[in-house]
Amino acid sequence: MAQAEKMEKKSSLMNVLEIDGVPLPVISKEIWARVCHFQARPDDLILATYPKSGTTWIHEILDMIHNVGDVEKCQRATSTDRHPFIELTFTHKEKLDLDWAIEMPSPRMLKTHLPSHLIPPSIWKQNCKIIYVARNPKDCLVSFYHFHRMTSMLPDPQSLEKFLEKFMAGNVVCGSWYDHVKGWWAAKDKHQILYLFYEDVKKNPKREIHKMLEFLGKTLSEEVIDKIVYHTSFDVMKQNPMANQTALPSHIFDHSISNFMRKGMPGDWKNHFTVAMNETFDKHYKKMMAGTTLTFCTEI
Ligand code: A3P
C-alpha cells in the first residue's frame, strides 16, 4: 500500500472516543449500549488485560489448557479468530466480535481490555471467573508504542517521548494504565478474579499455569503442562502463524515496521528509556501508585 494511502487509513481509524473519561476505539463507542447489555453466562471465562500485557500469550495458554495440550486443536484458527473480544473488533473483520460472542456456545472464553468499572454488569452478576494479567508499565508502554507504529488501528505515536507523556496522562486507548491495574486489583477482593503478572509467567510459567488450573478447577498431567509451557514459550509462539498475528492483513498489522511478537522480555524498556525519561516516569509512578499494595517487577 502506498505511504499516503496508509497514512489516510491510519488517520481515518485513529479517532478515539471517550466513555466515562476512558478513551476507547470508535468501534467500542458505536456498540457501547450493546456492550453494556451483554449477557454473561455463569460458565464464561473472561480474560481481561490492559493492551500489550500478554493477552495473546495467556490466551494461548488458556486455549491449550481447554484443549488438554492438543497443539493441532489450538491451531484451528488464528488467535483473533478463536475467541472474541467483548467490546472490540479488528477492523478487517466483517462480523462484530460481540455478535460472535453472543452466538458462541458455552463454555465461552471472552477477552476484554476494559477497565473494571466499564465491564458489562452481567459479568459481575453471573459471578464469572476472570483472569486478569498485568504487566509492568515500562515494558507495557514500550510495547504499546511499537504497536502504535505497526497497526493502522491506532494513531501514529510520533516519538517515544511524546507517547510516554500520553501514557502517563492516560491519554491512550483503554485509558490510564494506573486506573486499569488498580481498578482490577481492588475488584479481585470482591469477585472471582485470578490476578496474574506477565513477569511471573515469564519467570516461572509452570507455577503460573498451576495457578490457572487451580482457579479453573482443572487438573492436567505434568506431561501436558510441560507441553503447554513449551508451545507457549516466546520462541515457539513466534514461529506459530496461528499465534504470532502474521495472518492478519498487512494493512492492519505491518510486521515490516515491528513484529507483534517483538521482544517478549521483561526489562526491554532499558533499551528505550533515556535516564531523563526514566526519572520522569519513576516520579509520576510513585505519585500514582501511592497507597496501593500492588507492586511490579520491571526486570527479571
Ligand atoms: P513486546 O512488544 O514487549 O514483545 P498483547 O497480546 O496483550 O498485545 O501483548 C503483546 C506483548 O506480549 C508483546 O510484547 C509480545 O511480544 C508479548 N508476548 C506474546 N507472546 C508471548 C510469549 N509467549 N512470551 C512472552 N511474551 C509474549
Side-chain angles (χ1 to χ4, degrees), residues 50-57 135 139 143 198 202 232-234 237 260-264:
Y50 187 80
K52 312 318 288 176
S53 301
T55 326
T56 316
W57 182 17
R135 185 181 194 184
D139 284 323
S143 181
Y198 177 102
K202 189 82 192 179
T232 58
S233 67
F234 184 81
M237 260 181 75
F260 181 87
M261 300 282 297
R262 199 183 52 88
K263 285 271 178 74

